């Protein structure tokens, strides 16, 4: 064979190999995860999905978790009013003040709350009231109270029965509420209470009231910290078990020789607690979307529990032929709104729902349960991603999609929400539920985002599939 024929033969061989290895991909989303495949033509397609805002959920906030406190008015998501209810216990059993009560002069009584963070407009003041809980109320540490539970109030305890004005930006100032003492205290919200309440604590019969936590709760059932619904625009994150949370009584002896203080704090084992969080959606688009007969919404409202749920129908995947699915992802895009200063995109979660079992459970195959937790939440896509100044989510349902197109596995409705501490079934057939995440994916009540639905002309939620023929 002459030199020309050898070169021509090599050229034909090179061209054949080059085109055989070329992948046809019209989008770069997810394509970076594909392994190289010789001689395989890889394609992608986008399928329509159907989305519907379906309703609201509730939350139980544990005593060790951050609670929210305050008032917020969001033009898109409406009003949120959050109160904290809890018990404090004496510092030890058979508690005493150290002096005969006849020899004690009260200086002040101050409620301190550990401050962790703020969400919203921290420049606007909140106005807070403290109340005693009605002594006839049942409030127990072994009971769980969801965010809609309210408790009958007793007397107002706030000093002069006047709301304490709190500026979230100044919670690291100098503490001047102690009567005789001042000292710098950071990350603490302090509310001075009426001296009559402090005097009542001192006057109680020690043998009868301070014998143990249970006897004390019979006389001080609990405390309620509640915001006014006309002032402020933020939610404070409060932790009850932090050492900065306490009810402190400051006093001195009549002769003025001794000064002292006693701290009453929530007890993780004996103290009851709850977080009352009300969402008021009146004046927003949300109620009309929930009640609408439309089967495919153009806007999806995601708000951290207690918040909103959305149903997602991916029946369009049934139109796929028997192919090898390299990547299947549900893509969700932020729809900008006029109040984006309140935008805190929460972590979202996607699970499956069966009408037959009436259960929500992990999407088959795509979430790995290790026996105590789901080990691949980040890879599954719970966290928001930022691109070109906007947020989006990408949920990986590759293996579940493959099971539908190749094995005709059951197609379930999917459920999208922003969980705080919810449990789900790891598989549909099991008899027990497990936490979605530990620690929780979100702080209760904090975070929201508006997404495009399956009927949105510009920010359409859709199912993107990268595949090849078998």
């Amino acid at each position: 064979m002459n030199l020309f024929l050898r070169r021509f033969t090599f050229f034909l061989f090179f061209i054949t190999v080059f085109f055989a290895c070329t992948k046809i991909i019209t989008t770069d989303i997810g394509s970076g995860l594909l392994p190289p495949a010789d001689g395989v033509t890889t394609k992608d397609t986008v399928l329509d999905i159907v989305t519907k805002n379906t309703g609201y959920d509730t939350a139980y906030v544990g005593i060790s978790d951050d609670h929210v406190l305050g008032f917020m008015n969001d033009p898109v998501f409406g009003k949120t009013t959050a109160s904290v209810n809890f018990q404090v216990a004496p510092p030890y059993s058979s508690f005493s003040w150290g002096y005969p009560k006849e020899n004690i002069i009260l200086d002040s009584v101050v409620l301190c709350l550990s401050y962790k963070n703020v969400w919203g407009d921290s420049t606007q003041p909140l106005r807070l009231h403290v109340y005693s809980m009605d002594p006839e109320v049942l409030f127990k540490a072994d009971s769980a109270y969801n965010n809609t539970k309210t408790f009958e109030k007793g007397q107002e305890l706030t000093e002069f029965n006047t709301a304490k004005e709190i500026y979230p930006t100044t919670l690291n100032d100098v503490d001047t509420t102690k009567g005789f003492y001042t000292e710098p205290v950071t990350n603490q919200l302090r509310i001075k209470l009426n001296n009559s309440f402090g005097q009542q604590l001192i006057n109680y019969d020690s043998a009868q009231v301070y014998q143990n936590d249970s006897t004390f709760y019979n006389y001080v059932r609990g405390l309620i910290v509640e915001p006014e619904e006309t002032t402020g625009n933020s939610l404070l994150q409060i932790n009850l078990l932090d050492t900065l949370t306490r009810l402190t009584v400051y006093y001195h002896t009549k002769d003025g020789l001794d000064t002292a203080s006693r701290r009453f704090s929530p007890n993780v084992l004996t103290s009851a607690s709850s977080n009352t969080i009300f969402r008021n959606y009146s004046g927003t688009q949300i109620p009309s979307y929930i009640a609408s007969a439309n089967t495919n919404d153009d806007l999806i409202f995601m708000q951290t529990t207690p918040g909103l749920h959305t149903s997602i129908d991916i029946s369009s995947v049934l139109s796929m032929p028997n192919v090898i699915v390299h990547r299947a992802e549900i893509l969700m895009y932020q729809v900008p709104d006029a109040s984006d200063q309140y935008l805190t995109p929460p972590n979202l979660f996607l699970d499956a729902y069966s009408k037959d079992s009436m259960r929500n459970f992990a999407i088959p195959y795509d979430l790995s349960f290790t026996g105590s937790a789901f080990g691949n939440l980040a890879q599954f896509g719970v966290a928001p991603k930022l691109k070109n100044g906007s947020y989006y989510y990408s949920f990986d349902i590759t293996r579940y999609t493959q099971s539908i197109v190749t094995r005709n596995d059951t197609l379930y409705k999917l459920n999208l929400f922003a969980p705080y501490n919810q449990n789900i079934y790891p598989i549909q057939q099991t008899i027990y539920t497990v936490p979605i995440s530990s620690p929780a994916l979100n702080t209760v009540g904090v975070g929201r985002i508006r997404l495009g639905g399956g009927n949105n002309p510009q920010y359409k939620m859709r199912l993107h599939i990268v595949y090849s023929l078998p």
Side-chain angles (χ1 to χ4, degrees):
M1 184 181 296
N2 60 35
L3 179 63
F4 174 79
L5 288 177
R6 286 200 300 271
R7 289 179 175 175
F8 182 75
T9 302
F10 176 81
F11 176 78
L12 288 178
F13 174 79
F14 174 82
I15 292 297
T16 302
V17 171
F18 177 83
F19 282 103
C21 294
T22 300
K23 299 176 182 179
I24 304 171
I25 299 176
T26 59
T27 176
D28 62 352
I29 298 178
S31 61
L33 300 178
L34 295 178
D38 292 337
V40 176
T41 299
T42 303
K43 302 180 180 180
D44 79 328
T45 187
V46 173
L47 301 179
D48 287 340
I49 60 179
V50 177
T51 59
K52 178 62 184 172
N53 295 277
T54 54
Y56 318 100
D57 61 10
T58 57
Y60 297 88
V61 183
I63 191 171
S64 61
D65 289 347
D66 287 350
H67 293 51
V68 289
L69 170 66
F71 171 75
M72 193 166 182
N73 188 4
D74 183 330
V76 176
F77 283 78
K79 298 176 181 178
T80 298
T81 306
S83 305
V84 179
N85 320 291
F86 63 101
Q87 292 175 325
V88 292
Y92 50 85
S93 296
S94 301
F95 165 77
S96 71
W97 297 95
Y99 306 94
K101 59 185 177 183
E102 297 80 9
N103 196 35
I104 294 176
I105 302 297
L106 175 70
D107 295 325
S108 63
V109 55
V110 182
L111 177 64
C112 303
L113 299 174
S114 171
Y115 162 76
K116 296 299 184 181
N117 211 336
V118 62
W119 180 51
D121 186 352
S122 61
T123 65
Q124 295 190 40
L126 292 165
R127 292 175 59 83
L128 303 176
H129 295 265
V130 181
Y131 300 91
S132 63
M133 193 174 290
D134 188 286
E136 300 301 319
V137 167
L138 292 177
F139 194 43
K140 294 183 173 183
D142 59 0
S143 298
Y145 305 97
N146 73 20
N147 65 281
T148 63
K149 176 66 177 176
T150 59
F151 299 93
E152 190 71 26
K153 291 179 287 192
Q155 294 180 335
E156 176 157 9
L157 304 180
T158 326
E159 186 181 34
F160 308 127
N161 296 337
T162 302
K164 169 70 173 179
E165 195 166 77
I166 297 291
Y167 282 84
T169 55
T170 60
L171 286 177
N172 295 337
D173 60 357
V174 175
D175 184 357
T176 59
T177 60
K178 296 184 177 182
F180 281 3
Y181 319 100
T182 63
E183 65 179 0
V185 179
T186 60
N187 300 322
Q188 190 181 69
L189 185 161
R190 299 175 294 278
I191 306 175
K192 195 171 182 180
L193 306 184
N194 284 321
N195 276 1
S196 58
F197 176 59
Q199 193 62 53
Q200 184 182 48
L201 294 174
I202 292 173
N203 291 342
Y204 279 140
D205 181 87
S206 294
Q208 182 178 1
V209 177
Y210 294 113
Q211 182 179 355
N212 53 49
D213 292 1
S214 297
T215 57
F216 179 73
Y217 297 149
N218 289 333
Y219 291 83
V220 182
R221 182 67 69 195
L223 302 176
I224 300 171
V225 186
E226 182 179 277
E228 290 185 358
E229 294 189 17
T230 56
T231 308
N233 206 10
S234 62
L235 297 179
L236 307 177
Q237 295 170 36
I238 301 297
N239 192 281
L240 296 178
L241 293 186
D242 192 287
T243 56
L244 292 179
T245 294
R246 65 243 185 172
L247 176 71
T248 306
V249 179
Y250 300 94
Y251 57 96
H252 66 278
T253 58
K254 282 186 177 180
D255 57 20
L257 297 178
D258 291 312
T259 60
S261 65
R262 292 292 186 269
R263 294 176 176 176
F264 298 71
S265 303
N267 185 307
V268 66
L269 298 177
T270 68
S271 296
S273 70
S274 72
N275 203 172
T276 302
I277 308 170
F278 286 123
R279 306 287 202 187
N280 182 353
Y281 299 109
S282 61
T284 72
Q285 296 176 292
I286 292 173
S288 62
Y289 271 83
I290 298 292
S292 171
N294 291 336
T295 58
N296 194 8
D297 287 337
D298 61 335
L299 293 175
I300 298 301
F301 300 89
M302 284 286 103
Q303 186 178 38
T304 300
T305 302
L308 302 151
H309 282 244
T310 291
S311 171
I312 297 178
D313 186 340
I314 59 168
S315 297
S316 57
V317 76
L318 298 176
S319 65
M320 290 290 295
N322 184 13
V323 296
I324 299 172
V325 178
H326 299 288
R327 171 81 174 180
E329 56 188 346
I330 298 179
L331 298 173
M332 311 171 182
Y333 301 95
Q334 172 198 350
V335 178
D337 60 66
S339 60
D340 273 348
Q341 66 267 32
Y342 304 120
L343 171 67
T344 301
N347 293 314
L348 301 183
F349 189 75
L350 193 66
D351 62 24
Y353 175 75
S354 169
K355 288 184 177 179
D356 296 332
S357 63
M358 302 288 287
R359 286 181 169 184
N360 288 84
F361 51 94
I363 294 177
Y365 313 117
D366 288 304
L367 271 174
S368 60
F369 183 67
T370 61
S372 60
F374 294 104
N376 63 330
L377 289 173
Q379 295 86 347
F380 181 54
V382 299
K385 303 173 185 179
L386 186 62
K387 185 175 182 180
N388 299 327
S390 294
Y391 289 97
Y392 74 97
Y393 299 82
S394 170
F395 280 97
D396 182 357
I397 59 168
T398 302
R399 291 192 290 173
Y400 177 52
T401 302
Q402 185 74 75
S403 74
I404 294 172
V405 300
T406 60
R407 298 195 302 269
N408 295 318
D409 277 8
T410 304
L411 177 72
Y412 298 106
K413 283 286 183 69
L414 306 183
N415 174 52
L416 180 70
F417 61 113
Y420 152 60
N421 66 346
Q422 283 89 332
N423 284 21
I424 63 168
Y425 292 93
I427 59 174
Q428 185 180 184
Q429 296 79 14
T430 191
I431 61 174
Y432 60 89
T433 62
V434 297
I436 291 174
S437 175
S438 181
L441 281 181
N442 299 289
T443 297
V444 65
V446 172
R448 54 65 134 199
I449 190 170
R450 188 173 65 172
L451 301 172
N455 198 30
N456 193 291
Q458 186 176 358
Y459 304 95
K460 182 188 292 288
M461 191 182 297
R462 58 188 187 265
L463 176 60
H464 172 236
I465 301 178
V466 180
Y467 67 96
S468 60
L469 297 176

